[in-house]
Each structure stands twice: as C-alpha cells, then as structure tokens.
Amino acid sequence: MTLEPGPAPRAKAWLAVARCVGTSCAMLARRQVHLPKGNVGRVLRFADGSTSRVYRETAVDRQAGEPCVLVVAFTLRLVRGRAHRLFEVESLLNTPLFVGFPGFVSKLWCAHDTFGAYRGLYEWDGAERARTYAAALWRILELVSVPGSISYKVLPGLRRDEVLANPARMQAAAQPDHAWWRLLAEA
C-alpha cells in the first residue's frame, strides 16, 4: 500500500465540512445516528506497541456496499492529565463534523494511547469517500493537533467488525511491520 495523501485544500475541506454539518443535522433529526455500547471499554492493541480504550461508538443507518476501514490518528496540543477526559466528553459535539459525509458507516472513538495519540477506527462505504473525508478532517484536526501528528490509512475491502474479530485481516496491508494503524489480537 502506498502512503495516503495529506490534507485537502482548505477551501475545499471547509466546504465539505459545511455540507456535512447540514446533512448531519438532518440525520440527527431523523434519529439515524446511534451510539451503540457494544465496543465501549474495549482495549485495542496496535502494531506500534500502543494500546487504546474505545470510549464511544457512533453508527448510522447505512451498510457498506464497498466496505473499507479507515484509521485516523492525531495528538492533541496542550491536552494533559484530566483534560483528556474532558476532551472525551466534549468530542460528542464533534459528531456533526463527520456523520454526514458520504459513505460514513461507523466510528470507534479511541482514547489517547500509550504514546498520547487519539485514534478513530471507522468503517466507510467506498475507499475514495474515506480518503475524501480524511483529507477534509485533516483541516479540522490541524487546528488542535501537534504539527506532524496527523495520519490516516485507508484499507479497502475490509469491514471494521471483521478486523476487530480477526486483526490478521489487516496483516496483508501492513508495511512496515510495526504500522501504527494495524490492530493486533487482544491480549
């Protein structure tokens, strides 16, 4: 797999986010956005040696016809100690910034890991849609993240629940061996 591209041009990204917010508000009003509890509290291990706790799950009424997994990572600027818990609570307000993007299916919100990075583990309908979202998201994250800490990886043909059940499904896409985005089997 090749390295994912970086951020979208600012004007294009902010226009996409504005459209998304409008769509998200309609979806929220129609009760199409859900907060399942099944994965909350689960601890995920990654190939870079980090672990992270799932603190929230968001899903919409959509199935992926062309499934892919998207993993996003970033390190927040100036957030230390108890402020991490405040961020977890506040982050619910960020939901309209992503659920309305075309192709969004679900997201696991992963708390800051052993190295201080937050992750989102998504299922998306369509790899190109996932890339478009991640490139726009970059522009939001850069406002609050340590410079150089934002990364994303798109893994076409995989479903999130399949890789949670069998992380070895990510193995074929893993290069280098200790990829920050690759899940490992639970301890």
Side-chain angles (χ1 to χ4, degrees):
M1 294 257 157
T2 59
L3 188 63
E4 298 296 344
R10 282 184 177 84
K12 183 177 178 180
W14 287 107
L15 180 60
V17 170
R19 278 193 220 112
C20 170
V21 169
T23 301
S24 297
C25 289
M27 292 172 72
L28 289 163
R30 291 191 302 261
R31 300 183 186 272
Q32 294 175 312
V33 180
H34 312 286
L35 299 173
K37 303 285 187 219
N39 288 303
V40 174
R42 185 178 197 160
V43 176
L44 303 178
R45 289 187 329 127
F46 292 89
D48 66 355
S50 66
T51 59
S52 184
R53 172 186 51 82
V54 175
Y55 69 90
R56 182 178 300 120
E57 182 172 357
T58 304
V60 297
D61 296 335
R62 177 184 298 132
Q63 295 294 315
E66 297 176 34
C68 75
V69 168
L70 167 66
V71 187
V72 175
F74 61 95
T75 302
L76 288 173
R77 233 185 339 241
L78 307 174
V79 176
R80 305 284 180 269
R82 291 184 184 177
H84 285 293
R85 182 67 187 126
L86 291 173
F87 172 76
E88 290 177 21
V89 172
E90 173 281 328
S91 65
L92 182 63
L93 300 175
N94 299 334
T95 301
L97 300 176
F98 65 88
V99 297
F101 266 89
F104 173 80
V105 176
S106 66
K107 175 184 180 180
L108 295 182
W109 305 63
C110 300
H112 66 289
D113 66 20
T114 40
F115 303 129
Y118 282 85
R119 284 189 182 86
L121 183 65
Y122 299 78
E123 182 167 334
W124 217 268
D125 185 11
E128 205 48 49
R129 289 173 167 176
R131 283 184 188 91
T132 298
Y133 161 73
L137 172 69
W138 190 302
R139 293 305 186 180
I140 296 168
L141 291 176
E142 74 183 354
L143 299 174
V144 296
S145 296
V146 172
S149 72
I150 304 167
S151 300
Y152 68 93
K153 184 70 174 172
V154 177
L155 303 162
L158 297 175
R159 293 188 185 279
R160 190 205 64 196
D161 289 344
E162 290 173 354
V163 300
L164 287 172
N166 182 8
R169 293 187 51 94
M170 294 175 112
Q171 185 70 21
Q175 291 179 1
D177 216 25
H178 301 291
W180 62 268
W181 48 266
R182 187 168 55 86
L183 284 171
L184 298 176
E186 293 180 53

